[in-house]
Structure formats: C-alpha cells, structure tokens
C-alpha cells in the first residue's frame, strides 16, 4: 500500500503520541478534538492499519504507530529544512514596467534591453512606447511611463525637466550612413568639409520633434527627401539617392547596402542620452534600468 498523506497528518500523529491524549494534542495544534479525530482516522485509513489504542487514560501507540511516528519525525525535519531554504532564497521580481524611447532606440537598445530583462527576470514585463523626447516627457509627467530614454545636446531644444531626475546613458558618436557604392563608402573617417555638396535624407516627424538628417553643423544642407521611419531612410540611402546621419546606437541595424562612416567635425559638440524618471524606482523598474545601462555600454563600446 502506498502511503501518500499531507504533512499535517504526520504532525498530528506526533502531537497525539507525544502528549498521549487527543485533547492535549488538539490544544497544542489549535484544532477541535473532533477535527483531530477525523485527521487520525484519515491517517489510519491511508496507512491501512491501526496506529494507536484509545483508553480511559489517553492513547497508546501500536507498533505501526510507533514506527510511523519515527519516520514522520525524519520526514518533517526534512520538510521544514526545505521550507527554510526556500524562504532564504530571494523572491523573484515581478511586475510591469513602461519604458519610453525615441525611435532610434527601438533599433537595438530597447529590444536588447527587453531581451536581457526577460532572461534575468522572467516575471518582469516591459511595455515599450516609441515616441519623441518631448512626448516622452509629457508621458512621464502623466504617469504613463516609469522610465524614459531622452535625447539632449547640440541642435535640440532645452527640455523642461523640472521635477524629473535624469542620469546619463552612454550613447557614442554621431555617424554617417552612406550607400555601399557611395564615394565615401570605403572611407573610415571623413572631414566635415567634404559633406557640403552631399544630398541628404532627413527624418520627418511632428512639428517640434527632433529628427536625424543632415549633418548638424552644415549651414545649408541640400535635403532631397524627408521620411518618417528609419527603414525608409535606409532604403533611400542604399539606392544612392542621398546620405543621412545615424546615431551609434542605431548603426548596428544598418541593412545590406548601407555602411557607416565617422566624421571629423571640431564644431560638433555632440548629443547625449539620458534615462529619466520621477520618484523612486520599483524593483522591476530598477531591473530594467540596470539592463538598459548594460546594453547602452555595450553599444557605445565601453
């Protein structure tokens, strides 16, 4: 016969045999005597034999009851030890985090961050919202985002960040994206003066939303197309219609037929990324922050 019982029945058996009384055992365990009697009946049924004799002065164990009680002590000690070990383990993080980022972050930084979080913290879910920096700031203030990846620096407005805490994120330099057959395709680095006659593919968004496009320090760049998403811009570049600027965090997503080139420009002070939040981070949001910083460092080559 297979003895498959709940640990509570074994605890009840030990209490009965240690106290020698159903009444005393029920008081120790916090059960009524009737409930304890039912537990003992269930244990005897599972064991297929009588475990103790009831008498006027209490109960006496049968040989089967004595043996089972000894085994029960060892089983319960192991059970309690396992429970203590589980309680000592750190609780897994769980929850949902809303992360915002401008479009270029969606090419590599955001998806790699989300993948890292899923590996390290499977119970944490990340919702990514792609939007421009000013839209992210509004969403952060409205409580729709927990974390927001913002862009700042030369050529961008001075955002109102009152009440928002921003920490720097590694971002790397601004690069050129040119077609594989472009005259600059085989050049590792080019002086900015060589870009004055180039045709440019620029980003297009809502009014006031910053976009990547012509090199920022060129006085009068010739823009031949304005396109709303990166895949379209890269398609025009691959076809040789023009060139465009691309941040290092998006350079790993260049398609076939498009290569990157670095630019020497003493007049360009650069742009940077920042991770913004309002108030303290929850455990899940802190895990996303750590993953985001790690991936940003990898992309920037740090």
């Amino acid at each position: 016969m297979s003895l498959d019982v709940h640990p509570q029945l074994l605890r009840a058996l030990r209490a009965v045999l240690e106290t020698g009384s159903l009444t005393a055992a029920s008081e120790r365990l916090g059960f009524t005597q009737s409930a304890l009697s039912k537990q003992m009946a269930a244990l005897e049924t599972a064991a297929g034999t009588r475990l103790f004799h009831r008498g006027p002065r209490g109960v006496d164990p049968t040989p089967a009851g004595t043996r089972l009680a000894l085994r029960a002590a060892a089983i319960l000690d192991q059970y309690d030890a396992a429970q203590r070990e589980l309680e000592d383990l750190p609780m897994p993080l769980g929850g949902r985090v809303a992360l915002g980022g401008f479009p270029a972050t969606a090419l590599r930084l955001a998806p790699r961050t989300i993948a890292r979080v899923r590996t390290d913290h499977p119970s944490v879910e990340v919702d990514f919202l792609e939007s421009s920096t000013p839209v992210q700031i509004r969403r952060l203030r409205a409580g729709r985002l927990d974390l927001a990846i913002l862009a700042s620096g030369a050529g961008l407005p001075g955002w109102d960040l009152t009440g928002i805490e921003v920490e720097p994120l590694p971002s790397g330099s601004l690069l050129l994206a040119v077609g594989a057959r472009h005259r600059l395709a085989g050049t590792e680095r080019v002086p900015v003066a060589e870009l004055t006659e180039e045709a440019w593919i620029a980003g297009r968004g809502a009014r006031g939303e910053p976009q990547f496009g012509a090199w920022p320090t060129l006085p009068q760049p010739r823009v031949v197309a304005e396109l709303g998403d990166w895949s379209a811009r890269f398609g025009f570049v691959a076809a040789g219609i023009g060139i465009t600027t691309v941040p290092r965090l998006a350079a790993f997503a260049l398609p076939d037929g498009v290569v990157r080139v670095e630019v020497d420009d003493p007049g360009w002070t650069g742009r940077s990324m920042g991770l913004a939040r309002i108030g303290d981070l929850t455990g899940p949001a802190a895990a996303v922050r750590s993953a985001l910083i790690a991936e940003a460092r990898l992309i920037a080559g740090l």
Side-chain angles (χ1 to χ4, degrees):
M1 178 177 292
S2 175
L3 183 63
D4 184 9
V5 297
H6 193 280
Q8 176 54 41
L9 298 185
L10 299 180
R11 295 188 191 280
L13 173 65
R14 290 187 62 189
V16 170
L17 298 187
E18 287 173 0
T19 62
S21 164
L22 287 174
T23 301
S26 64
E27 291 176 355
R28 175 191 288 188
L29 297 172
F31 296 128
T32 65
Q33 185 171 337
S34 173
L36 184 59
S37 294
K38 291 180 180 179
Q39 290 181 14
M40 291 300 92
L43 184 57
E44 288 183 328
T45 299
T49 185
R50 185 179 292 276
L51 300 176
F52 51 82
H53 299 291
R54 294 177 176 84
R57 295 185 179 181
V59 297
D60 294 314
T62 65
T66 300
R67 290 193 177 188
L68 182 56
L70 290 174
R71 291 292 185 184
I75 293 170
L76 292 173
D77 285 345
Q78 291 296 316
Y79 182 85
D80 291 341
Q83 187 171 19
R84 287 192 299 271
E85 290 177 359
L86 291 176
E87 289 172 353
D88 290 340
L89 292 175
M91 293 296 291
L93 288 175
R96 185 177 295 274
V97 178
L99 170 66
F102 51 91
T105 65
L107 294 175
R108 183 175 174 90
L109 179 58
R112 291 290 296 269
T113 295
I114 295 171
R116 180 184 285 256
V117 171
R118 286 183 175 178
T119 298
D120 296 342
H121 306 285
S123 296
V124 174
E125 297 185 30
V126 182
D127 295 329
F128 179 70
L129 287 81
E130 177 191 306
S131 58
S132 66
T133 290
V135 172
Q136 288 189 80
I137 293 173
R138 292 198 298 269
R139 288 176 172 172
L140 197 62
R141 294 191 191 282
R144 295 181 58 194
L145 291 177
D146 300 298
L147 295 167
I149 309 168
L150 309 182
S152 61
L156 297 179
W159 315 118
D160 178 10
L161 300 175
T162 304
I164 298 176
E165 183 175 347
V166 182
E167 62 179 310
L169 281 176
S171 57
S173 57
L174 188 65
L175 305 170
L176 289 181
V178 305
R181 293 193 293 268
H182 191 275
R183 67 181 182 87
L184 298 176
T187 306
E188 182 177 345
R189 184 180 294 270
V190 61
V192 67
E194 291 194 23
L195 305 179
T196 55
E197 301 300 323
E198 292 291 335
W200 293 91
I201 310 298
R204 181 181 64 199
R207 179 176 297 179
E209 294 184 354
Q211 298 290 329
F212 290 95
W215 191 260
T217 61
L218 294 179
Q220 293 180 320
R222 182 166 60 94
V223 177
V224 297
E226 294 184 353
L227 302 167
D229 62 78
W230 282 103
S231 59
R233 278 175 255 179
F234 291 153
F236 272 57
V237 170
I241 297 173
I243 65 176
T244 191
T245 54
V246 59
R248 185 171 294 275
L249 62 90
F252 294 91
L254 295 180
D256 292 340
V258 178
V259 297
R260 65 184 186 182
V261 178
E262 299 198 21
V263 178
D264 280 328
D265 185 359
W268 171 237
T269 57
R271 291 181 182 176
S272 60
M273 289 194 303
L275 183 60
R277 69 176 187 267
I278 296 177
D280 296 332
L281 293 179
T282 63
V288 174
R289 170 190 172 274
S290 296
L292 187 62
I293 291 174
E295 290 299 329
R297 289 180 61 84
L298 287 175
I299 291 173
L302 301 177

